[in-house]
Amino acid sequence: MIELIEKIEGEAKLDFSFEDGKIDFVDIEFMTARNIENILKGKSPLDALVINPRVCGICGHAHLIATVEALEDCYENIEISKKAKIIRELTLTFELIQNHFKWFYLVMRPLFGEKQEVLKATYPTQLMAKAIAVFGGQYPHTSYAIVGGVVCDVTEMDIIKVKHYIEEAIKFFELNVVQADTKDFLVCDNVDKVLKKSGDLPDILKEIKKKKYLHHGKSYDRFIAFGENSYFSKGKSHKTITTHNISMDHVKEYSNPNSLAKNVLYKDKYYEVGPLARAMINKVPLVKDAHRRYGDNIFSRIIARVCEIPQLLNHSKELLEQLDLSEPSYIEPSIDITKINGSGESAVEAARGSLIHKVDIENGVIKNYEIITPTQWNLGNGTKKKLGVSQKAMIGLEDVQTAELVFKTFDVCSVCTTH
Amino acid sequence: MRVLWLSSIACNGNTHSFLNYPYMEQFLNDFEFIYHPVIDSNYSLKEIVTETIACDILLIEGSISDEFKRADVPVVDIITKYAKIVKKIVTVGTCATFGGIFRESDYKDTTGLHFVKEVKIDKFKDLLNKTISLSGCPVHPEVLVNTLYAIKKSVDLQLDNFLRPKDYFAYTVHNGCTRNEYFEYKVDNHKFGELEGCMFYDHGCQAPFTHGSCNKILWNEVNSKTRAGLPCMGCTEPTFPKSNLFGTKKNMGIPQDLPLGVGKRTYLTLAGITKAFTIDRLEKKLFDD
Ligand code: SF4
Ligand code: SF4
């Protein structure tokens, strides 16, 4: 039984097989591929900063940051000011926040029978877009992070402006998503306390319990994150064991006979990436509590993603404080990138999880470019013997609607998956 | 008014740019999406492609190829079907208008609706008089929304050669940039990461010959690329994306592409005059004396 999944930045086809009234396999097919990696071949390296954000309209900024870091990795030595690093991290953080708000209000809530509240998605996301625009000039699709730093300079007035956008977004969160003081919410380590609150998040979580959905969406309980910054650390976690010792060398892509999206594995195993993975690796108390009670199910996945909103808002305030405006925003690299022969790679945490870019530069042009997106990890199309993460999460469900819900808790994005 | 938002080969950047429109509540009261990539609609994509749902405006996002399908139906067939019944067709973004970035994708013969770069194509020529082009990568939300209102009001919009409304595309992006003084007096001291300087001379700013209103209406109501210090990439133009976007192509020291309507002799004369004086204020940092 084939179901067309829409409104996911494109579309996907899920082909369900049932046995004894239960889903026993799902074939996931993404039908479009634009082949950005090919478009990049032969281009001047810096042009990738303009092209790559166009991989995706909702997480293009993560592609920009991954690109600039991959290009900088081609240098043996390159100096980037702390200020530039902080600004890059800030804008990427704002993109994550806008994504989560959109996912929660445009995708998740309607799946629980609520009317889609577009304005609740657009109001806070516009604040975040403005905050990015203060540094980057516009959102979406700026290319303001360039090899050597960022193109903008900012003044105290800009900082004040950005701070107000953040405060306003926090207020929105406290009024709508979880009606509580964010400061308390951030240190909360007990999901029961959240369930007692009012707000759009507790509403959904209560629904999950009421509808007896708590067993839905379990997968391998195996998580990985490659991106590292002042908030996220890299590592992997399986059940309760976490290690930070991982290497991108073990990441392998495999093409997929049935779909235009490639599967990606770490040491030959599927891993889940994204907010739940990050929270498990970073040991976020509230998410750990959800996971301890319910495992890697939809409840944990939803609470993890929404929880990132106040965490990141709060963290971005701290980052703003750390900005030293007297530092340079940009330090011209001593060697022009077109004079470089070399390879570079980068990993950043995008909204949906780890995003990896790899580039080879030869004679001043891009010889090869490789992009591994978060959704390739989560939405890989495995076989019956070896299921992908979201496939496994759908096995055993009794109907297609619930399966679609489970699928979408991974925050599906078709354009990124296939790029 | 009923609007169909059809995505073709795209990154969905226009979809998300549109979500930045500040007066969304008003807009959603005045228009109904029969389909939109992320906003809920009364019809599914399946219904849109298999039936013909009443509709007033067709929005196309993304470049077009015969090979590309939505819900198993070639996107060209969906366009042809709805083009017949709608009052206006709007190409949303540079891909849908000129082919854009995804002109280079793996799909066969990828184009905009009426143009491949500057070249007019015949495929949909009977739709030419129904089409308005809104280029930009992405399109500016206000440009899109106000054009839809103009259609609703039956305003007779003046369009340029590429069918773009002059209200937004008669200007150059250079208009309103905070770096204008450095341009005017030809102070070529721009360095990245600074508030000062103009990117036209060395860093590839295409704004003086790019049609658009970025610096007039600003992005996200707060800024623009060039104000922030990023060269204009010329994303509203048929040639987008050009190559070597962070550098200015020059012939014997003179920028290859000159400001719109300015001849080489005029440019050289002006440059000659400005060489004769220095403006101290523009040689220094804005803030420190
Ligand atoms: S930076 Fe670009 S837009 Fe700004 S003044 Fe110079 S040429 Fe014009
Ligand atoms: S400034 Fe130039 S590149 Fe940027 S959005 Fe405007 S037209 Fe496009």
Side-chain angles (χ1 to χ4, degrees):
Chain A
M1 174 182 189
I2 298 178
E3 186 78 7
L4 185 74
I5 308 290
E6 331 167 5
K7 311 232 175 193
I8 49 167
E9 316 299 330
E11 56 188 281
K13 259 189 217 158
L14 300 188
D15 187 353
F16 294 97
S17 324
F18 282 86
E19 204 173 296
D20 300 330
K22 288 190 172 158
I23 295 171
D24 82 329
F25 187 66
V26 190
D27 188 66
I28 304 174
E29 186 194 348
F30 286 94
M31 290 94 80
T32 65
R34 300 152 301 160
N35 224 336
I36 288 254
E37 287 147 328
N38 250 355
I39 296 179
L40 290 164
K41 275 185 198 147
K43 292 234 160 41
S44 154
L46 293 185
D47 288 357
L49 298 168
V50 179
I51 291 167
N52 289 349
R54 274 89 180 173
V55 169
C56 177
I58 191 165
C59 69
H61 206 74
H63 286 282
L64 170 69
I65 304 299
T67 306
V68 79
E69 288 183 0
L71 293 176
E72 284 166 354
D73 193 43
C74 295
Y75 284 80
E76 258 164 55
N77 275 307
I78 187 163
E79 198 190 345
I80 312 294
S81 69
K82 192 165 163 246
K83 176 180 167 190
K85 283 188 192 147
I86 293 177
I87 293 178
R88 287 178 186 179
E89 196 178 323
L90 275 167
T91 54
L92 180 55
T93 300
F94 297 142
E95 178 173 82
L96 264 63
I97 299 167
Q98 66 89 32
N99 177 81
H100 295 349
F101 272 121
K102 280 179 184 160
W103 170 80
F104 185 66
Y105 281 112
L106 297 176
V107 182
M108 262 311 110
R109 295 252 308 157
L111 284 171
F112 284 87
E114 308 285 339
K115 193 175 175 303
Q116 192 187 45
E117 294 172 290
V118 178
L119 300 180
K120 279 193 179 172
T122 53
Y123 182 70
T125 60
Q126 287 178 9
L127 293 168
M128 292 300 100
K130 282 177 197 293
I132 297 173
V134 167
F135 299 105
Q138 73 179 68
Y139 188 81
H141 290 351
T142 172
S143 307
Y144 90 112
I146 59 170
V147 175
V150 291
V151 300
C152 60
D153 200 8
V154 281
T155 67
E156 281 300 342
M157 297 303 169
D158 296 317
I159 304 299
I160 291 169
K161 214 192 281 192
V162 170
K163 188 133 182 254
H164 288 169
Y165 298 139
I166 298 172
E167 296 291 0
E168 184 68 17
I170 292 177
K171 246 197 285 166
F172 177 90
F173 189 90
E174 291 177 341
L175 269 172
N176 297 281
V177 187
V178 182
Q179 291 177 15
D181 190 329
T182 312
K183 287 191 204 73
D184 302 333
F185 183 63
L186 285 173
V187 294
C188 176
D189 59 2
N190 184 339
V191 289
D192 283 339
K193 283 192 188 155
V194 179
L195 287 164
K196 287 203 189 87
K197 296 279 175 205
S198 317
D200 298 334
L201 174 67
D203 279 0
I204 287 202
L205 298 177
K206 283 177 222 165
E207 275 292 299
I208 293 177
K209 288 192 93 167
K210 207 169 87 199
K211 288 190 166 151
K212 308 216 175 359
Y213 278 0
L214 283 172
H215 293 290
H216 292 353
K218 289 196 185 174
S219 188
Y220 289 107
D221 209 353
R222 210 157 50 205
F223 305 101
I224 206 158
F226 289 94
E228 246 180 327
N229 60 22
S230 69
Y231 193 71
F232 298 126
S233 47
K234 72 170 186 183
K236 66 189 177 76
S237 131
H238 185 205
K239 307 229 186 280
T240 49
I241 305 148
T242 304
T243 95
H244 296 283
N245 188 12
I246 55 170
S247 157
M248 285 207 275
D249 298 342
H250 301 302
V251 176
K252 296 256 150 32
E253 268 192 307
Y254 300 91
S255 47
N256 192 324
N258 295 334
S259 169
L260 291 168
K262 285 183 190 158
N263 296 342
V264 48
L265 290 88
Y266 183 81
K267 286 196 178 164
D268 214 35
K269 285 197 171 105
Y270 285 108
Y271 279 83
E272 175 168 349
V273 298
L276 180 56
R278 293 194 279 258
M280 292 305 292
I281 294 156
N282 287 287
K283 302 200 162 52
V284 175
L286 184 62
V287 179
K288 288 285 280 186
D289 186 49
H291 179 264
R292 192 176 49 79
R293 294 173 196 236
Y294 312 123
D296 59 336
N297 71 342
I298 57 171
F299 187 102
S300 300
R301 224 165 263 131
I302 293 172
I303 204 169
R305 192 175 302 271
V306 177
C307 252
E308 262 189 8
I309 297 175
Q311 287 163 15
L312 292 176
L313 284 167
N314 195 51
H315 183 64
S316 54
K317 275 202 291 190
E318 289 167 14
L319 280 175
L320 274 184
E321 297 291 325
Q322 290 167 24
L323 265 183
D324 177 355
L325 295 186
S326 68
E327 288 179 22
S329 299
Y330 170 80
I331 301 167
E332 193 173 334
S334 52
I335 314 169
D336 190 88
I337 191 145
T338 55
K339 304 271 159 10
I340 288 215
N341 283 312
S343 306
E345 59 179 24
S346 64
V348 304
E349 284 305 308
R352 293 168 179 77
S354 303
L355 167 67
I356 296 171
H357 279 213
K358 295 182 186 174
V359 61
D360 297 321
I361 305 175
E362 206 178 270
N363 302 325
V365 297
I366 296 170
K367 189 173 157 237
N368 200 38
Y369 208 105
E370 200 187 321
I371 299 174
I372 300 173
T373 61
T375 37
Q376 278 176 265
W377 290 93
N378 288 345
L379 310 178
N381 194 26
T383 56
K384 246 187 192 169
K385 275 216 194 92
K386 194 170 182 174
L387 297 161
V389 173
S390 71
Q391 281 176 313
K392 187 163 163 58
M394 290 184 276
I395 299 296
L397 297 172
E398 285 163 12
D399 65 280
V400 170
Q401 280 69 37
T402 323
E404 179 176 349
L405 166 67
V406 168
F407 189 58
K408 286 186 171 175
T409 58
F410 289 96
D411 199 355
V412 182
C413 171
S414 151
V415 289
C416 264
T417 316
T418 52
H419 47 284
Chain B
M1 284 235 136
R2 288 159 65 97
V3 182
L4 166 57
W5 186 306
L6 181 66
S7 304
S8 188
I9 308 166
C11 69
N12 282 15
N14 295 294
T15 299
H16 289 281
S17 184
F18 162 71
L19 293 177
N20 283 330
Y21 181 65
Y23 313 107
M24 194 59 96
E25 189 168 13
Q26 186 63 40
F27 177 82
L28 293 175
N29 285 337
D30 293 333
F31 293 86
E32 180 203 336
F33 283 114
I34 62 164
Y35 192 80
H36 182 277
V38 295
I39 295 176
D40 278 355
S41 49
N42 287 330
Y43 305 90
S44 68
L45 187 63
K46 197 105 238 155
E47 289 167 314
I48 295 291
V49 303
T50 50
E51 299 161 32
T52 307
I53 313 289
C55 180
D56 303 301
I57 305 173
L58 169 62
L59 304 182
I60 304 168
E61 166 176 20
S63 12
I64 296 159
S65 157
D66 287 347
E67 281 184 336
F68 191 79
K69 294 180 183 165
R70 289 306 310 273
D72 293 329
V73 178
V75 84
V76 285
D77 294 352
I78 311 174
I79 294 172
T80 310
K81 175 169 76 176
Y82 281 95
K84 287 195 195 105
I85 63 163
V86 295
K87 187 169 153 192
K88 285 279 176 203
I89 301 160
V90 178
T91 58
V92 179
T94 296
C95 284
T97 306
F98 301 117
I101 291 230
F102 297 122
R103 195 184 58 240
E104 297 173 52
S105 78
D106 274 1
Y107 291 97
K108 240 186 24 232
D109 301 327
T110 308
T111 67
L113 185 67
H114 297 301
F115 305 95
V116 200
K117 295 187 149 187
E118 297 97 332
V119 182
K120 204 178 251 170
I121 52 174
D122 282 343
K123 193 145 101 198
F124 292 104
K125 70 168 182 291
D126 43 334
L127 307 179
L128 272 169
N129 56 358
K130 267 195 185 181
T131 305
I132 297 174
S133 306
L134 299 179
S135 55
C137 190
V139 76
H140 191 293
E142 183 182 322
V143 170
L144 172 59
V145 167
N146 288 3
T147 302
L148 296 182
Y149 273 99
I151 295 172
K152 191 177 158 107
K153 276 181 74 184
S154 299
V155 176
D156 195 12
L157 287 172
Q158 281 201 54
L159 306 178
D160 70 9
N161 291 340
F162 296 117
L163 311 172
R164 300 178 295 192
K166 291 194 176 168
D167 296 71
Y168 292 110
F169 293 93
Y171 302 88
T172 67
V173 173
H174 168 75
N175 268 289
C177 176
T178 48
R179 298 165 186 271
N180 273 178
E181 286 168 300
Y182 301 89
F183 178 89
E184 279 160 32
Y185 303 108
K186 310 236 162 308
V187 187
D188 51 358
N189 59 355
H190 175 260
K191 294 196 200 74
F192 285 117
E194 296 187 353
L195 298 171
E196 301 81 5
C198 162
M199 282 92 70
F200 178 71
Y201 302 103
D202 291 312
H203 293 133
C205 188
Q206 299 185 37
F209 47 89
T210 296
H211 298 82
S213 292
C214 298
N215 273 307
K216 180 170 174 274
I217 56 180
L218 297 182
W219 279 87
N220 311 89
E221 303 181 295
V222 294
N223 212 353
S224 73
K225 282 213 197 63
T226 66
R227 285 186 178 196
L230 184 66
C232 167
M233 306 292 171
C235 75
T236 56
E237 295 296 340
T239 44
F240 179 76
K242 292 184 182 170
S243 51
N244 296 311
L245 293 161
F246 289 85
T248 303
K249 283 173 205 66
K250 293 181 204 174
N251 298 325
M252 303 202 308
I254 305 155
Q256 180 191 299
D257 296 297
L258 294 175
L260 211 65
V262 177
K264 202 164 152 195
R265 271 191 43 203
T266 318
Y267 185 85
L268 285 175
T269 314
L270 268 170
I273 298 170
T274 55
K275 279 270 164 322
F277 55 81
T278 28
I279 298 166
D280 222 26
R281 184 178 152 261
L282 299 180
E283 301 290 343
K284 291 196 304 208
K285 299 284 287 173
L286 268 173
F287 284 18
D288 318 325
D289 5 14

